[in-house]
């Protein structure tokens, strides 16, 4: 009888333990997300929801990999410092993968490839890069286009001015100072699409220094493998293609 009761007790304990493990396994992993809200078409807010290519992909990955996303809105220049400080687990924007950034953060598998373009007001007499000689061009602080601008400034014969965010820099250019801006090609394509038949800007360069776009993590994060697994599933099941088509990226 004692042996039988012992076996029953063990069976109950095992059953409870397995049930507890199942509950623990089903519980979503909390992930602290640092998100830029002014980087269309990759990351922005619409109807009080985080949207754009990057956010749509991340939300789908979260569904596939059982993640709970806890968002914190940050300006682009604050994203990588927040990763380094351990304040967030993952950064979302249109983040370009560069060799310099690889030294301080890890990146997911890329989900897009973009470059930079130079733009001027629609009524500007400037029609190409040569026409920018002696002029001032603006770029967003901490952005890859700023790196491109600094790289080519001497070649183009321009002065580079730094702005805190994309919206203010674009408004400043439309008011006549600076003479031109350098932006992500995806952002410019989205802006032109929104403006329709009466654009307020025009592109005066080809695609400059194209590179990959991905999510960023603190160095050594085990979350990277989970996000990559979700991205791989989306590429296999067609979800990635659907999101890219939604934002006219292909």
């Amino acid at each position: 009888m004692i042996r039988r009761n012992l076996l029953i007790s063990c069976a109950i304990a095992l059953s409870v333990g397995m049930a507890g493990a199942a509950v623990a396994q089903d519980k979503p992993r909390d992930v602290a997300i640092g998100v830029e809200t002014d980087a269309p078409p990759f990351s922005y807010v619409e109807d009080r929801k985080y949207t754009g290519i990057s956010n749509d992909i991340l939300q789908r990955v979260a569904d596939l990999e059982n993640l709970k996303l806890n968002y914190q809105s940050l300006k682009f220049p604050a994203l990588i410092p927040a990763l380094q400080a351990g304040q967030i687990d993952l950064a979302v924007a249109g983040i370009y993968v560069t060799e310099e950034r690889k030294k301080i953060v890890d990146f997911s598998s890329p989900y897009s490839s973009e470059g930079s373009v130079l733009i001027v007001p629609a009524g500007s007499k400037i029609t190409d890069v040569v026409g920018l000689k002696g002029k001032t061009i603006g770029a967003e602080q901490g952005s890859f286009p700023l790196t491109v601008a600094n790289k080519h400034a001497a070649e183009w014969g321009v002065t580079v001015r730094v702005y805190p965010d994309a919206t203010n820099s674009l408004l400043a250019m439309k008011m006549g100072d600076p003479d031109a801006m350098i932006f992500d090609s995806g952002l410019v394509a989205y802006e032109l699409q929104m403006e329709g038949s009466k654009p307020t800007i025009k592109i005066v360069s080809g695609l400059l220094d194209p590179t990959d776009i991905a999510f960023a993590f603190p160095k050594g994060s085990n979350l990277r493998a989970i996000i990559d697994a979700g991205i791989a599933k989306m590429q296999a099941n067609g979800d990635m293609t659907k999101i890219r088509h939604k934002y006219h990226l292909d």
Side-chain angles (χ1 to χ4, degrees):
M1 179 65 70
I2 294 175
R3 178 179 175 81
R4 181 172 179 274
N5 289 341
L6 181 61
L7 287 173
I8 293 173
S9 297
C10 289
I12 293 172
L14 180 61
S15 175
V16 171
M18 291 177 66
V23 171
Q25 193 173 26
D26 290 339
K27 183 180 179 181
R29 173 174 173 173
D30 285 303
V31 182
I33 307 295
V35 58
E36 184 185 13
T37 59
D38 188 28
F42 290 97
S43 181
Y44 58 101
V45 174
E46 187 174 76
D47 297 328
R48 298 183 180 182
K49 293 182 179 179
Y50 295 107
T51 189
I53 298 161
S54 302
N55 285 307
D56 284 10
I57 291 171
L58 184 60
Q59 287 285 354
R60 182 60 184 139
V61 168
D63 292 340
L64 292 168
E65 302 301 323
N66 198 28
L67 303 175
K68 180 182 178 183
L69 308 179
N70 302 301
Y71 286 94
Q72 177 183 352
S73 298
L74 295 171
K75 295 290 186 181
F76 186 85
L79 289 174
I80 289 180
L83 287 171
Q84 292 178 290
Q87 297 169 348
I88 56 175
D89 301 312
L90 185 153
V92 182
I95 304 176
Y96 283 69
V97 179
T98 69
E99 292 305 314
E100 286 301 309
R101 288 174 179 168
K102 283 182 180 179
K103 295 175 183 177
I104 54 178
V105 296
D106 287 338
F107 286 100
S108 68
S109 300
Y111 53 83
S112 185
S113 180
E114 300 292 328
S116 303
V117 290
L118 287 158
I119 62 171
V120 296
S124 172
K125 294 181 180 180
I126 299 170
T127 58
D128 53 29
V129 176
V130 175
L132 287 170
K133 188 174 182 179
K135 307 291 187 181
T136 299
I137 66 171
E140 182 183 5
Q141 180 182 357
S143 68
F144 184 70
L146 174 58
T147 302
V148 175
N150 288 331
K151 173 183 174 182
H152 295 285
E155 171 194 343
W156 297 338
V158 299
T159 300
V160 179
R161 185 177 298 161
V162 181
Y163 289 83
D165 58 66
T167 300
N168 286 332
S169 61
L170 189 58
L171 288 173
M173 184 197 71
K174 289 179 178 179
M175 294 175 65
D177 187 20
D179 303 287
M181 292 295 308
I182 184 166
F183 270 120
D184 294 342
S185 57
L187 189 156
V188 172
Y190 178 83
E191 180 72 15
L192 288 171
Q193 180 187 337
M194 293 297 100
E195 292 186 355
S197 61
K198 295 182 178 180
T200 62
I201 58 175
K202 63 181 180 181
I203 300 172
V204 295
S205 75
L207 190 65
L208 306 166
D209 295 33
T211 190
D212 290 331
I213 291 179
F215 301 114
F217 311 85
K219 273 289 185 182
S221 171
N222 62 9
L223 181 63
R224 174 185 176 182
I226 297 172
I227 298 298
D228 279 353
I231 289 174
K233 291 174 185 176
M234 291 181 66
Q235 290 170 336
N237 67 18
D239 284 350
M240 189 70 73
T241 299
K242 290 177 183 177
I243 291 174
R244 290 177 62 84
H245 284 174
K246 174 183 175 181
Y247 292 94
H248 308 284
L249 205 59
D250 291 323

